[in-house]
Structures are given as C-alpha cells and as structure tokens.
Amino acid sequence: MARSWAQTWRRPKEEERDGMYDLIIRGGTIYDGLGGAPFIGDIAITGDTIAAVGTVSGGAREEIDASGHIITPGFVDIHTHYDGQATWDDVMAPSSWHGVTTVVMGNCGVGFAPAAPDKHQWLIGLMEGVEDIPGTALAEGMSWDWETFPEYLDSLERLPRTIDIGTHVPHGAVRAYVMGERGARNEEPTDADIAAMSAIVEDGLRAGALGFSSSRTVLHKSIDGELVPGTTATARELIGIGRAMGNVGYGVFEMASDLVPEWNEFDWMTALSKETGLPVTFAMLQSPMKQMTWTEQMAACEEANRTGGNVVAQISLRGTGVVMNWRGTVHPFVQRPSWRAIADLPWEEQLARLKDPAFKAQLLAEDNLPPPSMDTAALFMIVTAGFAMQFAMHDDFTYEPTRDESIALMADAAGRDPAEYAYDALMAGDGNGFIYLPILNYQDGNLEFIKGLLERDDTVVSLSDGGAHCGTICDAAAPTFLLSYWARDRKAGTIPVELAVKRQCHDTARLYGLNDRGVLKPGYLADLNVIDFPRLRLSHPWLAFDLPAGGKRLLQSAQGYVATIKSGEVTFRNGEVTAARPGILIRGPQNVEQRIAAE
C-alpha cells in the first residue's frame, strides 16, 4: 500500500537506541547526492531511513563492507514507460539492474488509465505504436481491474516490488476517455471537454499522480498509424488541463514535442509555469527533424526562466536511435523481398536461411520495397541505407563511435560493399550481432554538446524510456552509462563523479517533489547503491523473449553493483536479485522534513 508517514516511519526499537541498527554500510567513499566532495565513512540504517552518516559506532543486524567502493543514493529515473509492466512485474528489470530505486512512468501522453471497458485494445495499440512494447505481452500481462485513474493507482499499489514507482496522468488516455472517437481523431475539444479532462487530471493528482504528460510529435503514432490524442492540441487545451495541477498545488507537466515554431510551445509552457508555479519539462534533442536546433531550444528555455517561468529541458545521455538485430524491430534489410518472405518463420528457420550463401547473395542483390508509411520515409532510408551513420557493436562499444568506425567507412577500408558488411555484422555470434544507429543527438558525430548540458541547472537527466522501445533500444541502462562513461571512461572529457551522482539522484528527485530521497543524510529514505566503481561496466545487449506471451525486449545488464538497498532492504547483491520487495507506489510529493520530525 502507499507509504504514509504515520505508517512507514518506524521509531527505533529499544535495542536500536542502544546502538543496534538494522544495517550498517562501512568504510565506503560516500557521494552524498548534493554534489559535495566525497568522503570515506559509514552509513547506518534503521527501518527504511538513514539514521547516521559518518563514523558510526555500535552494531547492526547486518553489515556490508564497502571498503574500496563508492556509495551513492539510489538512482531516480523520471522518464520510463513501465505502465503495463508495473502491473505484473515485481523485479522491474532492466531499470532495477542499474541501481535505480525509483521510476516515474506515464510519460509522453500514453498510459492505461482512465480506460473505458471498450478501449482496452485501443490503449494497447497506442502504447505498442508509440513505445514499441509488444501488444500481445500487454494484453496477456494486464488484469484491467480498473477504469478510472485512481483505480489504476489502487491496482499498482497491490504489488510489492524492488523499486518505488510513480506516474503521470496521460493525455492520450484522458482525451479518449472524455471525447471518445473525437478525442482519438485529435478534434478540437469543447469547453465542456476541457473541463471534464481537467477534472480527471485533478482527481488523478489528488489520488497520487506526480504530474500530467502529453505527446506533441508526429513520430508518436498508434499501431494503426494514428497520431496520439492531443498531438495537435492548442494552447487553450493544454493550459486548461495544466491548470488542474495548479488547483492541486503540485505536479510536473511533461511533454515530447516537435517544437514546431508556429505552435509557440515556449510561450504556453512559460505562461503555464508562471501561472501555476509548477515545472513544465520537454524532451530536448539534437534532431535533424526539429525545426528548432538544440541551441535554439536551450536559448528559448533560458529566456522562459529568465522571465519567471519554470521550464526544464529533459536530456538524453547518448545518441537516441535504434539498436538493430535480425530479431529486433528493424534492421537494414527489413524491407527486402527475401527477408519479407522469411519474416514470420521461427528463428531457427530464419537463421538457417541467413547462413545460406545463396540466400545472402539473393537478398543483397535486391532493392527495398517501399516504406510502410511515407510519413517515415526519411527514417526508413536511414535504417535501410544510412551506413555512414551505422556502427557494428562489440563488447567494448562506447556509444560515441567515430565516423571512421561507421559501417560505410569500415567496409570501404576493407574493399567491401557496406550492405554486405552490415549483413555480416548482424550474423556475429550466430546471428545475434547488433548495429547501432544514433538518429538523434549525434549530428556532430560525437556527444560533446551533452557535456555542456549536464553542467546546466535548466536541464534534467531523462529520456531513458525504461520498459519501452523493446525491440530497438535499451537506454534503461542510462544510470550505469552516466557513471561509467561520462564520469570515468570518456576520452574526450568527463564530468566529476559527484556531479554525475547529483544529476541522477538529487536533481531528478527534486523535479518531481520527491524530497525524501536522492541524498545520503540522516532522515532521508534509505535508498543506496554500493558500487565497485573501477569494475562498473555495461554488458553487451541481448534480445530476450521473457515478456508475457513470449514478447521480446532488448536487455543490457551491468557489472560492478555490489549492493542496491531500497528502503533499508537489500534488493540486489552482486547483481543478483534478492527476495526483498520493499518498493511501493508513490502518491504525491514526499517531504523529508516530515520524516525527520517523526523521529
């Protein structure tokens, strides 16, 4: 059930007051989450709360030796899509594998509540199209024991898990619930429609939602090719709904947008944040498809905040695009006739054909069939022929490859055809090879611009999309990538470890009012990671078929996590999940002062 201070704050037992704690982590290098200089010390935990930090005397029921390791707060990932998975999965992988102890889902205007009984399959199709989550897995995995948004929260609350979860009220579901087919078709709402949508959002926040989300990009479509409801909403609708958060007094307005200039997105975002005093956050990407460059986006964000707004740019940590594999969602040959002829065969039969030299020669000699949709023709060309932007992945792949490492130039250096080179790259590991295609955030052929963004106060680390894009990406590994690459391995320049920790802990938590976590100080929630920092690294990705109904998803694990502690309980030891399931549904903002006062 949801955590309330009266229910979850446990005063120390008599023996604990005499020096006996539940858990002590000893001798680690502590990064406090606030960006302060690290120091060697101990952390004592009583119940679900940090009791002492520094030199801790006395004993505990359990101790963890952190000598030679670093200790960080648990990571807070604010951009995920576990809306369906969270109803059946108690482990919450892959995010939980990467030191994440809190996630926020319901982003980009898609989710599963409110849900009219006749809209279940439609909502699944919306999520499948936008976030590439297998519809069969969602259909089999979800119980649909809710209709309203508060009932959805009640359903989420019933399942203990390894991490805490919070969620937005999603625009697409709200619009369809209120307006029916008119809403699904993105028709203009009446004043009564806006009032009804606002009421649902307000009820959702009062029941515990952390905000409201919307999609404003034509790239987000249902499995049937229809735009997400709300994509073309006017400022009248967006501000009208956003005021519901102002009525409640908290919440984040989250949005993905094409930032079309004539929509004047920054005007209404600034006006809404000024009126309500609440943050509006948007996905900030270096994109050849956006009419606003990333520098123009950040300049507009800076101007909004200079004039009294509260606008925050969500940033990704690496190139955003697709990881291609024979069994993934896309690969360079996905529209060639020979592949289409075997696309629905079992993998064993596909692999046998792919290994056949005659089949390979036939496929390589073919032209692509037309793209499935002309709206995605440019993307289709990059996937099927953009070999100058594609990179064969290997065990030490950095996610910041040089142009010389592209398939086009590697093939040219070897005197080979790029398509054949790509084919062989996919055949690595008995047909389990991967090709990386960074479509966004990689126009310069490097990630240097992200370094500057990581150092700004008007940005927040986001866009991991944990639980989504199951056949194309695995950016839920972002927290591990932030620490291992940005704070240690990047040859072109790193950021301090203390800044990396602050960005993934304190800063993400504070944006959503989760003021009880992300910091290692007495009174805060005991969410921590013990990490063997020199050994921290990402695994090679792999494709698993472990979702309900055998649904597929790209996964990436990590080495180096000695322990992850959630609410005082060890949920992972040396990368292996334990039986502890202390994670709960977060309802609304969380206040550390109330925890300390309760002590």
Side-chain angles (χ1 to χ4, degrees):
M1 62 191 302
R3 177 181 287 121
S4 72
W5 304 122
Q7 292 169 322
T8 60
W9 172 257
R10 182 172 60 82
R11 291 189 177 279
K13 298 176 183 176
E14 195 62 44
E15 62 268 27
E16 291 164 349
R17 297 188 187 118
D18 294 335
M20 180 64 73
Y21 300 100
D22 289 321
L23 175 65
I24 297 177
I25 305 166
R26 292 204 182 272
T29 300
I30 297 171
Y31 288 86
D32 63 8
L34 295 169
F39 59 94
I40 295 176
D42 312 323
I43 297 179
I45 295 170
T46 296
D48 64 359
T49 302
I50 297 173
V53 177
T55 300
V56 175
S57 60
R61 290 166 179 74
E62 179 182 358
E63 294 198 3
I64 294 175
D65 181 5
S67 302
H69 303 323
I70 69 172
I71 307 173
T72 74
F75 303 137
V76 179
D77 186 341
I78 60 172
H79 193 109
T80 74
H81 293 279
Y82 289 112
D83 309 74
Q85 185 178 333
T87 67
W88 73 74
D89 180 15
D90 62 346
V91 176
M92 300 293 290
S95 288
S96 61
W97 296 348
H98 295 277
V100 173
T101 51
T102 301
V103 299
V104 180
M105 57 194 194
N107 288 276
C108 301
V110 289
F112 297 113
D118 63 345
K119 286 293 185 181
H120 293 177
Q121 194 57 46
W122 182 85
L123 288 169
I124 287 173
L126 193 63
M127 184 68 79
E128 184 175 15
V130 173
E131 303 299 342
D132 188 28
I133 302 173
T136 52
L138 294 169
E140 181 167 312
M142 288 193 293
S143 63
W144 293 106
D145 56 345
W146 65 84
E147 177 170 341
T148 68
F149 194 86
E151 288 170 348
Y152 173 64
L153 294 183
D154 292 343
S155 180
L156 290 173
E157 197 172 46
R158 295 185 187 110
L159 180 65
R161 59 195 91 236
T162 58
I163 64 179
D164 283 355
I165 60 171
T167 188
H168 300 87
V169 182
H171 195 179
V174 171
R175 210 174 199 271
Y177 191 80
V178 169
M179 298 175 62
E181 293 303 315
R182 291 186 301 116
R185 292 193 300 265
N186 276 289
E187 293 183 12
E188 184 77 8
T190 65
D191 289 344
D193 292 331
I194 293 174
M197 288 189 281
S198 298
I200 288 174
V201 172
E202 183 169 339
D203 287 346
L205 264 74
R206 293 194 186 282
L210 298 179
F212 170 80
S213 73
S214 187
S215 172
R216 309 269 292 152
T217 171
V218 296
L219 294 178
H220 284 172
K221 296 182 179 180
S222 73
I223 197 67
D224 297 323
E226 298 297 323
L227 290 173
V228 173
T231 300
T232 59
T234 64
R236 168 175 158 268
E237 177 178 349
L238 297 167
I239 292 177
I241 296 174
R243 283 173 176 152
M245 297 193 306
N247 294 339
V248 180
Y250 69 81
V252 176
F253 192 119
E254 185 275 337
M255 173 184 76
S257 174
D258 289 331
L259 299 174
V260 178
E262 56 264 32
W263 286 356
N264 297 316
E265 299 282 55
F266 283 94
D267 288 352
W268 72 258
M269 286 194 289
T270 304
L272 178 62
S273 64
K274 283 182 176 179
E275 178 180 331
T276 63
L278 301 174
V280 179
T281 180
F282 70 101
M284 205 298 296
L285 293 160
Q286 184 192 60
S287 170
M289 293 171 279
K290 287 187 190 295
Q291 295 182 47
M292 292 185 75
T293 66
W294 76 269
T295 54
E296 290 171 335
Q297 293 174 55
M298 290 310 303
C301 184
E302 187 173 355
E303 177 63 16
N305 295 328
R306 187 191 66 79
T307 59
N310 186 359
V311 179
V312 182
Q314 304 169 53
I315 62 170
S316 180
L317 297 173
R318 58 193 188 192
T320 300
V322 294
V323 174
M324 300 188 286
N325 175 271
W326 287 122
R327 291 192 285 175
T329 300
V330 295
H331 54 72
F333 312 104
V334 71
Q335 281 296 98
R336 298 203 182 191
S338 292
W339 173 260
R340 299 307 308 162
I342 68 168
D344 296 326
L345 295 178
W347 168 239
E348 292 75 14
E349 295 181 38
Q350 288 179 340
L351 182 59
R353 299 284 187 91
L354 291 166
K355 289 180 175 179
D356 181 353
F359 179 88
K360 175 182 178 181
Q362 176 179 308
L363 182 143
L364 290 174
E366 295 172 345
D367 292 326
N368 287 302
L369 296 170
S373 167
M374 292 310 297
D375 289 344
T376 58
L379 178 61
F380 173 79
M381 289 298 296
I382 296 172
V383 167
T384 59
F387 297 116
M389 299 172 59
Q390 298 181 19
F391 305 88
M393 300 182 73
H394 47 78
D395 286 342
D396 296 320
F397 192 73
T398 66
Y399 293 90
E400 194 174 8
T402 66
R403 296 297 189 200
D404 289 342
E405 296 175 82
S406 70
I407 285 176
L409 292 185
M410 294 289 286
D412 183 65
R416 299 176 60 193
D417 176 70
E420 182 186 12
Y421 195 98
Y423 189 106
D424 290 346
L426 292 173
M427 291 304 296
D430 204 29
N432 291 306
F434 292 91
I435 292 174
Y436 178 58
L437 170 57
I439 300 168
L440 308 175
N441 281 2
Y442 218 67
Q443 284 179 263
D444 303 327
N446 60 64
L447 299 174
E448 185 61 26
F449 84 104
I450 292 178
K451 184 173 183 292
L453 293 172
L454 283 167
E455 296 164 343
R456 295 180 60 135
D457 292 334
D458 54 0
T459 66
V460 64
V461 172
S462 184
L463 306 178
S464 83
D465 277 333
H469 302 292
C470 296
T472 52
I473 68 170
C474 190
D475 287 348
T480 301
F481 183 72
L482 177 60
L483 269 184
S484 63
Y485 189 70
W486 278 108
R488 188 190 65 197
D489 295 340
R490 187 171 183 264
K491 293 182 174 59
T494 59
I495 64 173
V497 175
E498 53 265 35
L499 175 59
V501 172
K502 177 177 181 291
R503 302 260 48 194
Q504 192 66 73
C505 300
H506 171 275
D507 294 354
T508 46
R510 291 308 169 274
L511 178 64
Y512 277 81
L514 304 180
N515 299 310
D516 64 337
R517 65 196 70 201
V519 175
L520 298 182
K521 292 176 66 176
Y524 281 79
L525 194 62
D527 292 357
L528 306 92
N529 286 305
V530 180
I531 302 170
D532 186 342
F533 188 53
R535 197 168 63 88
L536 185 67
R537 69 187 300 268
L538 291 170
S539 75
H540 197 61
W542 74 93
L543 199 61
F545 294 83
D546 61 349
L547 292 175
K552 67 185 176 188
R553 57 176 175 166
L554 270 168
L555 294 174
Q556 192 170 29
S557 60
Q559 296 177 6
Y561 286 97
V562 176
T564 296
I565 294 98
K566 171 76 198 94
S567 296
E569 299 187 45
V570 179
T571 51
F572 287 85
R573 297 180 191 273
N574 296 314
E576 297 295 326
V577 67
T578 71
R581 297 293 183 271
I584 53 87
L585 170 72
I586 303 165
R587 290 189 187 257
Q590 306 295 298
N591 192 334
V592 71
E593 285 76 15
Q594 289 178 273
R595 299 180 64 85
I596 295 173
E599 182 178 6

